[in-house]
Amino acid sequence: MLTLVGASRILVDPRAQSSDAENGAELAIGGGGTIVAHGAPGSEELDVRGCVITPGLVNAHHHLLQSGFRTLPGTRGAAMRDWLPAMAAAYASAGIDAALTRTTAAVGLAESLLSGVTTVADHQLNWPDPSGSDDPVGDTVGIARAIADTAETLGTRLVFVRGTARDAPELAACSADAIVADLLGHDHAGGVSGDGRRQIAVGPAGVHSDSEATFRALGEVAARHGLRRRTQANEQVDTEIALARYGRRPLDLLDEWGWLAPDVTIAHLCDVTDAEIQLLADRGVAGTHAPGCDVPMGWGVAPVARLRAAGVVVGLGTSGGGSNDAGHLLADARLAMQVSSLVGPQLPARTVLAMATEDGALGLGRDDIGHLRPGARGDACVWDVAGVADAGVADPIAGLLWASPGRRPRHVIVGGHVVVRDYRLVTANEDELVAAMERRLGR
Ligand SMILES: [Zn+2]
């Protein structure tokens, strides 16, 4: 049991959008790793005086593989149609295998924890060329297992999204089935392990890369195991290619292919019309905003306020290192707040904090993370707001985004275990993770 004592504010209920529940000074996590109403005598105490506590952040859209391929020549300020082949060439020259995904995931997940992200949805899109292998399904299982084992070692919750980017539909479906069997076995509900630390979902990259057959095949896998479905849509090249190839817009195709439904979450959604926003709301689809990718690349800004006003739940994701270069979700929450006024009314800080926590969790089909109400998983961030960068801030919760850009949490807790203490990762040696990745990439 762990009790955090002396907090100045606790953001218990991110979707409540009021400060009523923020004044408790104590947060208690029981022996089962979930939030309990009161601490018990004799439990371990963590002194968090002068700090704000929030739920652990939920990065609802990442591509961990790209953590090994940041700031590559030819990928900054590039149109998406040029960016995609530049990234594909970089993966091909490195060779995608379990050794690579183990090291890139370790770097990406460690960075996530150090910036307060306790749950990462890794949309893993790129796989080895199956033609050169006698066990292509086994290779993909090895890659997924390497990422899942790394998350377990570091102490992050992982949502592994078995993605595709031009994969053969039957092979992708066999691989997704095999990954569910290997990573979850039979002990799961809706693709989530009993302890809530591991989840599997499926997700074609988008209509720009994958065919109707792939969407249908992965949809069948999802139905078979009760998995969430995820994809990306209406991000520059996606709309361009859908119009050129099918004479249709991406959401129109997804609707026809059975992919606009309450179990689906769509990332990016930059260029959406009012009619499309209404369609998403009517179908119960959730969204993921990724401004840290789309804004610097010039690929658009999702109209989050309009999506939310229509009733679409919108989470927040960083997307991958190939376009964002950082897995720092709080920094992207600040950016989301700042750029929101370019495409509608400004999003309040509390709204964006809800997107970075509970709304992102809901888009993953999870009501057990992203908030700090009793019964929730004990995932929390402790933000020290006692320094000069926060002095003079009237509202310390809103100040988490408005003040001190690039802030990192002092402590991070996952399931009642401290995984970052005093700004240092306790589950691994950062230098060794970096060295292992550099070795694998031959740099
Ligand atoms: Zn993305």
Side-chain angles (χ1 to χ4, degrees):
M1 174 143 208
L2 176 69
T3 309
L4 284 62
V5 293
S8 62
R9 297 289 177 93
I10 305 177
L11 181 63
V12 172
D13 213 358
R15 283 167 67 87
Q17 299 297 302
S18 79
S19 54
D20 296 351
E22 292 163 8
N23 296 320
E26 181 181 296
L27 182 78
I29 303 170
T34 56
I35 307 291
V36 292
H38 300 288
S43 79
E44 184 195 344
E45 285 196 355
L46 194 59
D47 182 348
V48 297
R49 263 173 296 183
C51 298
V52 169
I53 301 176
T54 67
L57 306 182
V58 177
N59 186 345
H61 184 70
H62 202 327
H63 306 286
L64 288 171
L65 173 64
Q66 294 177 14
S67 302
F69 304 91
R70 310 196 233 208
T71 72
L72 287 184
T75 62
R76 300 302 87 186
M80 205 171 163
R81 83 183 79 80
D82 303 320
W83 179 87
L84 286 168
M87 294 302 295
Y91 304 144
S93 85
I96 297 173
D97 59 15
L100 177 65
T101 58
R102 185 183 303 280
T103 60
T104 50
V107 163
L109 291 170
E111 180 191 20
S112 299
L113 284 176
L114 287 162
S115 46
V117 175
T118 53
T119 301
V120 176
D122 177 24
H123 200 163
Q124 161 61 27
L125 297 169
N126 306 92
W127 305 90
D129 177 359
S131 63
S133 167
D134 13 293
D135 183 13
V137 170
D139 295 343
T140 64
V141 172
I143 284 169
R145 174 153 283 283
I147 297 166
D149 286 349
T150 302
E152 196 168 301
T153 304
L154 291 174
T156 35
R157 294 188 198 279
L158 175 74
V159 182
F160 183 77
V161 186
R162 201 305 177 187
T164 54
R166 294 180 197 82
D167 303 36
E170 319 75 56
L171 178 59
C174 287
S175 158
D177 276 328
I179 289 170
V180 171
D182 188 77
L183 264 53
L184 294 176
H186 296 292
D187 174 29
H188 70 93
V192 183
S193 65
D195 61 3
R197 285 189 172 266
R198 193 178 277 187
Q199 179 178 352
I200 296 178
V202 293
V207 302
H208 61 274
S209 74
D210 293 295
S211 65
E212 176 176 357
T214 302
F215 278 88
R216 298 244 180 235
L218 288 184
E220 284 163 21
V221 173
R224 198 152 47 239
H225 304 286
L227 311 179
R228 294 281 306 183
R229 295 182 286 164
R230 308 180 64 82
T231 188
Q232 310 176 112
N234 293 49
E235 191 189 26
Q236 207 180 51
V237 83
D238 190 57
T239 311
E240 217 172 84
I241 291 179
L243 284 170
R245 192 177 295 160
Y246 303 95
R248 315 263 298 274
R249 287 180 54 89
L251 296 181
D252 191 20
L253 291 166
L254 289 175
D255 198 25
E256 183 182 301
W257 298 351
W259 270 70
L260 293 190
D263 63 318
V264 174
T265 303
I266 303 180
H268 300 295
L269 293 174
C270 294
D271 154 40
V272 279
T273 65
D274 286 337
E276 287 171 334
I277 290 173
Q278 196 51 53
L279 179 65
L280 291 167
D282 291 346
R283 297 283 189 271
V285 175
T288 309
H289 184 33
C293 154
D294 290 317
V295 171
M297 296 302 282
W299 295 346
V301 183
V304 175
R306 281 195 286 139
L307 285 159
R308 286 176 50 88
V312 178
V313 173
V314 182
L316 194 69
T318 56
S319 206
S323 58
N324 184 334
D325 309 296
H328 194 309
L329 195 72
L330 196 82
D332 289 4
R334 186 172 200 265
L335 179 66
M337 182 178 72
Q338 290 173 324
V339 301
S340 60
S341 46
L342 299 177
V343 292
Q346 186 167 62
L347 296 169
R350 277 183 174 71
T351 299
V352 185
L353 283 168
M355 290 167 61
T357 53
E358 196 167 6
D359 289 341
L362 291 174
L364 294 166
R366 303 286 295 268
D367 60 8
D368 59 332
I369 53 175
H371 62 90
L372 295 174
R373 299 185 290 274
R377 308 279 181 192
D379 302 352
C381 296
V382 177
W383 309 91
D384 191 333
V385 295
V388 289
D390 287 289
V393 164
D395 176 347
I397 300 270
L400 289 178
L401 296 191
W402 285 113
S404 193
R407 79 167 71 237
R408 289 176 180 273
R410 172 180 280 279
H411 310 301
V412 180
I413 293 141
V414 181
H417 297 284
V418 180
V419 291
V420 172
R421 191 184 291 270
D422 289 318
Y423 304 101
R424 301 295 300 177
L425 195 60
V426 300
T427 48
N429 178 314
E430 277 180 65
D431 296 338
E432 284 170 13
L433 302 183
V434 175
M437 192 180 81
E438 301 287 296
R439 267 199 311 278
R440 171 58 185 80
L441 287 170
R443 292 190 189 137

